[in-house]
Amino acid sequence: MIMLGVSGWSYDDWIGPVYPEDLPRYRWLPYIAEQVDTVEVNVTYYRLPAAKMVQGWVERTPDDFVFSAKAHRSITHERTAPDFEAYAESLQPLTEAGKLACVLAQFPYSFHATDENRDYLLRLRDGLAELPVVIEFRNRAWVTDETFELLDELRFGYCSVDEPRLDNLMPPIARATGPLAYVRFHGRNADTWWDHDEAWQRYDYTYSSEELGEWVPKLQSLDAAVPMTLGYANNHYRGQSLAAVRELRKLLSTQ
């Protein structure tokens, strides 16, 4: 089963390109949920959402709709005193409703492939207990058989990525580890990946049909390997991610 979605939905620059100008903010999520299978939740990286907010996500989406939640920054970026229990508790409404596909632990480029950081992955597994977790590395040095074996051992999914072909960034390999496969489409905007004034500039990119087509056989191979494959378009500026999902869905349906 391949489920396609977008990374986030609460963007002011989507007003017009995606959302009708008179659509109230509380209707943004159900509006997007009519067009994609799943979404990544960004807010969980910045703060632990209140139970009422998370319950609202459950209630405003179809029964078969699922979410992937970014791990809090204390877990992936700070790593000194991560409160795994509080984070897991904040997601409880999603978990209880069967709508939590996984937690996405997106580590920074500075998270190098060291023994210390491998040990931290073990700590992460213990901390999040039985929650399904996907690991996104940003540093190419992690691409080794040792890494994939470790992820399998810990039942962590590996996040395959499409991003600029820059030195030491992750290459566009599709690999399934753990119980599910995961792909993120960040865009290929090499000029602004490292050099940008605003975060959105990194993800200001429109995929061509040919570029997305490169991933069709990869997604199909992942789909054959695991029960669930999640694909998220993160080139979110002005709704380019939604266009990518629509095109990718069309390509998958014809092959």
Side-chain angles (χ1 to χ4, degrees):
M1 177 172 58
I2 299 175
M3 304 186 77
L4 300 178
V6 290
S7 300
W9 69 88
S10 186
Y11 302 111
D12 288 341
D13 54 73
W14 282 24
I15 300 173
V18 175
Y19 300 128
E21 303 231 350
D22 59 350
L23 187 70
R25 282 181 178 268
Y26 75 90
R27 291 292 305 162
W28 286 7
L29 176 57
Y31 186 90
I32 284 298
E34 294 174 356
Q35 302 175 64
V36 298
D37 309 312
T38 177
V39 294
E40 283 180 344
V41 182
N42 291 323
V43 69
T44 49
Y45 170 79
Y46 298 100
R47 67 180 188 275
L48 301 186
K52 182 178 179 180
M53 174 183 288
V54 181
Q55 185 61 35
W57 302 339
V58 171
E59 295 172 357
R60 297 201 306 276
T61 52
D63 291 344
D64 58 351
F65 194 85
V66 297
F67 295 81
S68 294
K70 275 192 180 179
H72 189 262
R73 57 188 172 189
S74 67
I75 295 174
T76 56
H77 286 59
E78 298 161 6
R79 302 190 299 280
T80 52
D83 193 340
F84 297 113
E85 184 177 353
Y87 176 78
E89 185 177 343
S90 74
L91 301 179
Q92 199 65 26
L94 290 180
T95 306
E96 292 175 352
K99 289 194 169 194
L100 180 66
C102 67
V103 171
L104 172 65
Q106 177 193 299
F107 287 97
Y109 179 79
S110 59
F111 188 73
H112 298 294
T114 63
D115 289 340
E116 178 183 4
N117 287 337
R118 291 185 188 92
D119 288 342
Y120 183 78
L121 293 179
L122 274 67
R123 184 182 175 194
L124 175 63
R125 177 72 285 170
D126 289 341
L128 293 182
E130 297 304 313
L131 285 180
V133 178
V134 168
I135 306 296
E136 180 176 3
F137 300 111
R138 288 288 173 97
N139 194 302
R140 189 187 187 106
W142 284 100
V143 183
T144 65
D145 289 339
E146 178 185 8
T147 295
F148 296 127
E149 290 168 5
L150 178 61
L151 295 180
D152 260 330
E153 178 185 336
L154 298 176
R155 292 188 60 75
F156 281 153
Y158 168 73
C159 180
S160 304
V161 295
D162 187 278
E163 59 190 16
R165 310 305 198 254
L166 296 174
D167 291 345
N168 299 320
L169 284 186
M170 300 296 286
I173 60 173
R175 185 74 178 251
T177 62
L180 58 85
Y182 204 102
V183 183
R184 300 187 85 202
F185 296 87
H186 293 304
R188 302 182 183 182
N189 201 337
D191 291 341
T192 60
W193 188 262
W194 297 120
D195 185 15
H196 53 265
D197 297 319
E198 303 289 343
W200 61 263
Q201 293 174 303
R202 171 180 277 184
Y203 306 110
D204 181 8
Y205 189 83
T206 299
Y207 277 101
S208 69
S209 180
E210 291 74 21
E211 289 169 339
L212 293 172
E214 297 169 12
W215 280 91
V216 169
K218 296 179 181 181
L219 286 166
Q220 291 170 334
S221 68
L222 293 172
D223 185 40
V226 291
M228 176 186 288
T229 297
L230 298 164
Y232 294 100
N234 191 32
N235 56 326
H236 54 74
Y237 183 62
R238 294 187 61 79
Q240 293 168 102
S241 53
L242 185 57
V245 168
R246 289 169 174 162
E247 181 62 21
L248 192 53
R249 182 180 286 149
K250 182 173 72 173
L251 291 169
L252 284 165
S253 69
T254 58
Q255 296 189 32

